[in-house]
Amino acid sequence: MTTATTTDLYPTRGTAEVLTPRQDPVVWGAPGTTGPLRPSELGDFDRDGFLPVDALIGPEDVARYHAELERLCADPAVRADERSIVEAKSRDIRSVFEVHKISPVFAELVRDPRVVDRARQILGSDVYVHQSRINVKPGFGASGFYWHSDFETWHAEDGLPRMRAVSVSIALTENHDTNGGLMIMPGSHRTFLGCAGATPEDNYKKSLQMQDAGTPSHTALTELAGRHGIRLFTGQPGSAVWFDCNCMHGSGDNITPYPRSNVFIVFNSVENAAVEPFAAPVRRPEFIGARDFTPVR
Amino acid sequence: MTTATTTDLYPTRGTAEVLTPRQDPVVWGAPGTTGPLRPSELGDFDRDGFLPVDALIGPEDVARYHAELERLCADPAVRADERSIVEAKSRDIRSVFEVHKISPVFAELVRDPRVVDRARQILGSDVYVHQSRINVKPGFGASGFYWHSDFETWHAEDGLPRMRAVSVSIALTENHDTNGGLMIMPGSHRTFLGCAGATPEDNYKKSLQMQDAGTPSHTALTELAGRHGIRLFTGQPGSAVWFDCNCMHGSGDNITPYPRSNVFIVFNSVENAAVEPFAAPVRRPEFIGARDFTPVR
């Protein structure tokens, strides 16, 4: 009899916080693989764990996607859908998950060669969408997201075995230095921070509004920030940030009148398809962690 | 019989929000008055309502004042004092008021010619301290301050008749672009935003932790930000921002591990001494709005 076992390269949610050096490449594509990213850009991504792109999509695309975002947020059926997450205080829509399935317009964005070809190039294979969402951070007090590594959650709760996923956040409104933009600790993707504490069964419902289980300690964050610093991303609508699944990142609140809206797509390698969660009693719903591994074409 | 009446140039806390053009100069000193500020700097202050100064005090001073701040925050007697305000969530000290009376070290800072001479030059007279405090914005989630004009409060609740007060915020830790720094709308000091809503009797206790009465509407803030933009201040320890009493300003939260500490002094002209509150049933305590008008010497 043969038993298939999955080795857990990245232990987390145990009794203590554990630092594990990254066991995986950052750029998976073979050197010289052609694609939209230049070798120097791949080098930057490898070193920093992220890569800003000035105008990934043009003004006409921005207008179209932004209009679609507004349409979705105003649609009572979308609001009532379990895939919509509302702001704790104001009850405004904060995120809509699985937008590439809800909206044919966003489905196109996922297939756009400017988008998916970059993901393929970084991950060195065909890719599928592990998660997609639009984020709306309304002005006048929307709260931020506390520090976390996405991979920590995707590994613990969704069962992604390896660090072979990449996210792209495309700005649909201007990201100022004042409206709660994305903050990343450059280079933090090289260390996996296994968090202390077990995962409650319905953790995802709470953690989409405010992070709790899987939260790094003050000590660990102080050390990581001391070693790596913190970079804040600003940019015009249409600009994007590609970032590795294991970057330590977060965002502050937004008291300005400027809403911060973006569309966020997570590509995972088809060779890294989700298995059972590594540190949670149940899988999260499929609109948060996909189980359909069909490659994007 | 003669009755002395005080005209209210800046009505606020009535039934509706009212915009009143500024009735007062921004720089009160006669042109050519000598002092540490160059004419171009006074011009910038007049136009923007603020003036950043790169190294107002040197590293040795920073070390001394920062040590004094830490000493005060660790002192149980200071913590128990009503002049100390604690963070709602963490119960850490957030501000200590009247530090120039509590601490001989900070009393020196107020008298330092690099500080008080600039205030005299802007206000065109002798000055006294309307308020002083140290602010500690600890990392890992300290909340910010919502948008407000200080003068709105000082007029409504402390009885400052005219816009003839200036604040200086001196950084004692680095102000990054990520740790909840001061945001000002440049040029907003030219318009007085009279707020809607009456002042409750013990408003100050609540408003020191979180702004409530005297809060501008979303509509007004959107218009002001659209007209003026928003500037975020960053700087090394020892850097300072001078800003007019009527600037629309605020700050976001601080989830970084970097605490943001500063000392904040409000100078008022001796020719603008506080009278009775213009829009509040009672005066605030003297540690928040001074009634001792002795000039700084």
Side-chain angles (χ1 to χ4, degrees), chain B residues 9-142:
Chain B
L9 293 176
Y10 300 109
T12 187
R13 315 263 173 123
T15 50
E17 200 168 53
V18 186
L19 293 169
T20 307
R22 185 185 184 106
Q23 310 287 309
D24 292 304
V26 179
V27 174
W28 287 74
T33 311
T34 55
L37 292 167
R38 297 187 302 274
S40 68
E41 290 177 313
L42 288 168
D44 291 349
F45 184 84
D46 184 62
R47 182 192 63 220
D48 299 329
F50 59 78
L51 183 74
V53 177
D54 253 0
L56 184 69
I57 61 174
E60 277 175 35
D61 292 319
V62 169
R64 196 158 139 263
Y65 291 120
H66 192 253
E68 178 68 356
L69 176 147
E70 300 234 297
R71 190 190 68 75
L72 291 168
C73 290
D75 182 342
V78 171
R79 199 191 159 78
D81 196 299
E82 62 167 349
R83 292 172 288 188
S84 294
I85 311 298
V86 297
E87 184 77 18
K89 252 189 297 178
S90 69
R91 313 302 297 164
D92 287 337
I93 283 190
R94 179 186 174 106
S95 302
V96 180
F97 279 81
E98 229 178 26
V99 273
H100 72 297
K101 294 211 170 164
I102 292 178
S103 153
V105 177
F106 283 113
E108 259 179 59
L109 179 63
V110 165
R111 289 191 304 265
D112 188 315
R114 293 170 293 184
V115 175
V116 69
D117 283 354
R118 283 180 163 84
R120 287 194 190 108
Q121 208 182 347
I122 290 168
L123 302 180
S125 69
D126 267 332
V127 298
Y128 72 93
V129 176
H130 175 66
Q131 185 184 100
S132 79
R133 63 176 196 259
I134 48 174
N135 291 316
V136 180
K137 197 176 219 173
F140 307 114

Side-chain angles (χ1 to χ4, degrees), chain A residues 140 145-147 177-178 183 218 221-222 225 229-230 232 251-253 255-258, chain B residues 140 145-147 177-178 183 218 221-222 225 229-230 232 251-253 255-258:
Chain A
F140 306 115
F145 264 106
Y146 197 66
W147 298 103
D177 59 359
T178 55
M183 301 188 284
H218 291 189
L221 290 172
T222 303
I230 299 174
L232 172 71
S251 64
D253 62 359
I255 69 163
T256 76
Y258 312 131
Chain B
F140 307 114
F145 264 107
Y146 197 66
W147 299 103
D177 58 0
T178 54
M183 301 188 283
H218 290 189
L221 289 173
T222 303
I230 300 175
L232 171 71
S251 64
D253 62 0
I255 69 163
T256 76
Y258 313 130

